[in-house]
Every structure is written in structure tokens, then in C-alpha cells.
Amino acid sequence: MKGPKRPIDAVATWVRRQPPKVKAFLSVISAVAALVFLWLVVEDHDNLFVAAEAVHALGISVLIYKLTKEKTCAGLSLKSQILTALFLAVRLYCSFVMEYDIHTILDLATLATTMWVIYMIRFSLKSSYMDDKDNLAIYYVVIPCALLSIVVHPSTPHHIFNRICWAFCVYVEAVSVLPQLRVMQNAKIVEPFTAHYVFALGIARFLSCAHWVLQVLHTRGRLLTALGYGLWPSMVLISEIIQTFILADFCYYYVKSILGGQLVLRLPSGVV
């Protein structure tokens, strides 16, 4: 005889049975509630960006542990790491020629770590790389981002090439996790360290998005005006929101799995 169903399982079952429109509505309501909570709790909204960087660093630490201690890169997308290195390299270039600040140093450290991860996947742990699962072509991501950056980019006084590069790295960052999601979609089963890493990315991107949204609200839109005119300010905000919602579905099943005491995350069909 089965015991009573736990509240988390009952809620998960109810949500899973809802049509896509209802799920989207619930996601928006949850995001708004989280933003209101952060607005009330966090006094200095810049701390959200610091928190996002800290969570991202924690995720990278988990990835390093997986590669060095577990001696396997199974479940990781090499293409997502290449896209990450690409947008970081372009953003570093933009930082050096447009505005140099503490973010430049953070990006440099992240790029160095990402290059090391790429090396480990390509050479040291090549035998465990799931090449057949990592089948999302990079040009499906890079080419649309490049074309969009030519059309919509900042209107600052900088050289046109630098402005296009700035827009390009923003767009690539927003969708760089797509190959990783494709790997998990193909595998259906996500081992713990990969799940922890991707969940950390999701939390970091939500905090970064919250930082942007709350800063816009706090300045009553002046932040968007400072970014320039035309479509660019809106595209920056939309990019932040997109990269958050791309990982929302995975984060939901991750939390459900952890609360259910499952070490290995099993994704239903259609997730991510």
C-alpha cells in the first residue's frame, strides 16, 4: 500500500498536467514573486551581481571537481563551453577598448577556466565525451547572433565594429547554454555534478537578470536610456530574461529531484 503523496510531489504532478500556457503563466508569476522578494530583502541591488558571479564560480568549481576527481566529462557539452569562451573573449576585447573595470578581471579568470575545461574535454578526457549527444551545430547559434548584432547594437560613440562586438557577446551569452541543454535532452539522465553545474548557471543567470530588472526599476528607466536609444536597451533586457527562462524548466526538475532525494536527475520527454 502506497503512503500518502508528499506535497511537493502533488504540486509537481499538478503543474506537469497543466497546458503550456498555464505553465508559462505560473513561471512568470513565480519570477515576479522572486523579484519582489529580492526587491524587499536586498538593499544594494549591486550585491545581486556579486551573488551571480559567486554562484557562477561555485558552478565552475563543481565542474572542475567533476573533471579532476571523477575523471569524466560525460554529460558535458563541448560546444556550450566553446560558445562560452567565444562570448567571454569578445567581451574581454570590448572591455579593453571600451570600458575596463572589475568585470574585466572576472571575465579573464572565467575565460581561463573555460579554456582549461575545453582542453580537458578535447584531449585528456576525450574518451568519455558524448559526441553523439552533443549534436547542436554551433553555427545555428553563432550566425543568428552575428546577424542580429549587425542590425541591433549600441548607439554609443565607439567604433561601429566595437559596438557590433558588444551586441554579439550579449546575444551569444543568452543562448550559449543551448548545446548543453540538447545534450541533457538526448541523454534523458543527468548525473549529479553536471546537474549541479547547470543549476548553478540557472541561479546565476536569474540573479543577473534580477540585478538588471531591479536596477531599471530603481532608476525609473534611466539605466536603459544610458545604454543608448533605439532597440538596443530593450534587447539587453530581453537577452537577460531569455537566458534565465531557457534554464527555468531544468531548474524546476532539479529542485524536484533534490527534494525527492534522487541523486540522478531523470528528465521527462520534452524538457529542455
Side-chain angles (χ1 to χ4, degrees), residues 10-11 17 19 23 31 40 51 53 71 108 126-127 133 160 177 185 217 220 227 231 250 256 272:
V11 172
R17 291 175 177 173
K23 289 181 180 178
L40 296 174
E53 292 295 325
K71 299 296 183 182
L108 187 60
K126 185 178 180 179
S127 60
K133 300 290 190 296
I160 181 65
V177 76
Q185 184 183 53
L217 294 175
R220 297 182 180 179
L227 293 174
L231 293 175
F250 171 83
K256 178 178 179 293
V272 303

Side-chain angles (χ1 to χ4, degrees), residues 140-150 164 167-168 171-173 175:
Y140 284 149
V141 176
V142 173
I143 292 179
C145 290
L147 294 176
L148 184 59
S149 64
I150 293 174
I164 291 175
F168 177 72
Y171 299 146
V172 172
E173 181 183 15
V175 293

Side-chain angles (χ1 to χ4, degrees), residues 29-241:
I29 293 298
S30 300
V32 171
L35 286 174
V36 171
F37 174 77
L38 292 174
W39 174 271
L40 296 174
V41 172
V42 181
E43 294 184 4
D44 186 355
H45 299 146
D46 285 335
N47 290 334
L48 291 175
F49 182 82
V50 176
E53 292 295 325
V55 173
H56 190 188
L58 181 62
I60 293 176
S61 299
V62 170
L63 195 58
I64 291 174
Y65 180 87
K66 171 185 171 70
L67 297 177
T68 56
K69 298 299 182 180
E70 299 291 316
K71 299 296 183 182
T72 177
C73 63
L76 292 178
S77 169
L78 174 62
K79 293 174 181 176
S80 267
Q81 297 301 319
I82 291 174
L83 289 172
T84 300
L86 175 62
F87 82 72
L88 285 171
V90 175
R91 191 159 71 189
L92 274 172
Y93 164 78
C94 293
S95 295
F96 283 120
V97 300
M98 299 174 75
E99 55 173 356
Y100 182 88
D101 54 22
I102 186 62
H103 298 164
T104 306
I105 303 209
L106 294 174
D107 282 344
L108 187 60
T110 306
L111 177 61
T113 306
T114 303
M115 293 302 294
W116 177 82
V117 171
I118 292 174
Y119 172 81
M120 293 294 287
I121 297 176
R122 286 289 301 270
F123 301 104
S124 298
L125 303 175
K126 185 178 180 179
S127 60
S128 60
Y129 171 52
M130 302 166 66
D131 182 52
D132 58 322
K133 300 290 190 296
D134 195 9
N135 56 9
L136 179 63
I138 287 182
Y139 57 81
Y140 284 149
V141 176
V142 173
I143 292 179
C145 290
L147 294 176
L148 184 59
S149 64
I150 293 174
V151 177
V152 182
H153 50 261
S155 54
T156 59
H158 302 92
H159 190 277
I160 181 65
F161 176 75
N162 296 334
R163 287 185 279 145
I164 291 175
C165 285
W166 184 3
F168 177 72
C169 70
V170 169
Y171 299 146
V172 172
E173 181 183 15
V175 293
S176 60
V177 76
L178 287 179
Q180 179 63 59
L181 296 181
R182 172 61 71 86
V183 170
M184 296 188 299
Q185 184 183 53
N186 290 336
K188 298 300 180 187
I189 297 177
V190 186
E191 57 83 34
F193 289 109
T194 301
H196 298 335
Y197 165 67
V198 177
F199 179 71
L201 285 183
I203 296 299
R205 292 187 173 184
F206 170 75
L207 291 173
S208 177
C209 179
H211 169 256
W212 268 96
V213 172
L214 295 183
Q215 284 288 81
V216 170
L217 294 175
H218 182 71
T219 60
R220 297 182 180 179
R222 291 193 299 273
L223 178 61
L224 292 179
T225 304
L227 293 174
Y229 54 86
L231 293 175
W232 170 246
S234 299
M235 288 301 296
V236 173
L237 192 57
I238 290 172
S239 296
E240 290 287 340
I241 295 173

Side-chain angles (χ1 to χ4, degrees), residues 6-17 252-253 256:
R6 295 181 306 168
I8 183 65
D9 293 328
V11 172
T13 301
W14 180 82
V15 171
R16 189 164 56 247
R17 291 175 177 173
Y252 162 75
Y253 282 99
K256 178 178 179 293

